[in-house]
């Protein structure tokens, strides 16, 4: 919510200010990655295919939820930001498979 509501965000812990900045700055400094949600047909074959695809392109990715064709992955932050764009481009290219 702070991402949408605030221009500057303050992170406090036990009454002490730990960090101040806008959401982009704080996310780039403290984030451990991204949450990627994909929707597919609810079959084990589709899940296995997508799981292999994601883990091949972004090592360290973990499937955190798989419910009725909704797959959520925790994807680590990548040093090369264009790698995420390439991942989404590859996913889009294979949409009909």
């Amino acid at each position: 919510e702070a991402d949408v509501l605030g221009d500057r965000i303050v992170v406090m812990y036990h009454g002490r200010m730990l960090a101040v900045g806008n959401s982009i700055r704080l996310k780039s400094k403290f984030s451990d990655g991204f949450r990627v949600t994909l929707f597919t047909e609810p079959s084990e074959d589709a899940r296995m295919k997508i799981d292999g695809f994601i883990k091949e392109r972004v090592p360290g990715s973990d499937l955190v939820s798989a419910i009725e064709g909704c797959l959520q992955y925790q994807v680590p932050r990548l040093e090369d930001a264009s790698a995420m764009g390439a991942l989404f481009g590859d996913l889009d290219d294979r949409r009909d498979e």
Side-chain angles (χ1 to χ4, degrees), residues 13-34:
Y13 179 73
H14 289 288
R16 301 180 79 192
M17 187 169 34
L18 297 178
V20 178
N22 63 32
S23 64
I24 294 171
R25 180 180 172 277
L26 294 174
K27 285 178 185 178
S28 69
K29 186 171 183 177
F30 298 107
S31 172
D32 61 350
F34 303 93

Side-chain angles (χ1 to χ4, degrees), residues 1-87:
E1 293 175 26
D3 193 18
V4 175
L5 298 175
D7 293 330
R8 291 178 52 94
I9 301 166
V10 176
V11 179
M12 296 184 74
Y13 179 73
H14 289 288
R16 301 180 79 192
M17 187 169 34
L18 297 178
V20 178
N22 63 32
S23 64
I24 294 171
R25 180 180 172 277
L26 294 174
K27 285 178 185 178
S28 69
K29 186 171 183 177
F30 298 107
S31 172
D32 61 350
F34 303 93
R35 184 68 56 113
V36 176
T37 303
L38 303 168
F39 295 93
T40 185
E41 62 184 64
S43 73
E44 184 66 16
D45 185 48
R47 188 192 68 75
M48 295 297 289
K49 192 178 213 181
I50 291 173
D51 196 54
F53 180 84
I54 296 290
K55 290 182 177 182
E56 175 186 315
R57 282 165 178 73
V58 186
S61 297
D62 290 316
L63 180 64
V64 294
S65 176
I67 301 171
E68 293 297 319
C70 177
L71 308 175
Q72 288 191 339
Y73 288 88
Q74 182 65 39
V75 178
R77 185 170 52 171
L78 304 172
E79 296 300 320
D80 180 13
S82 65
M84 284 303 288
L87 171 66

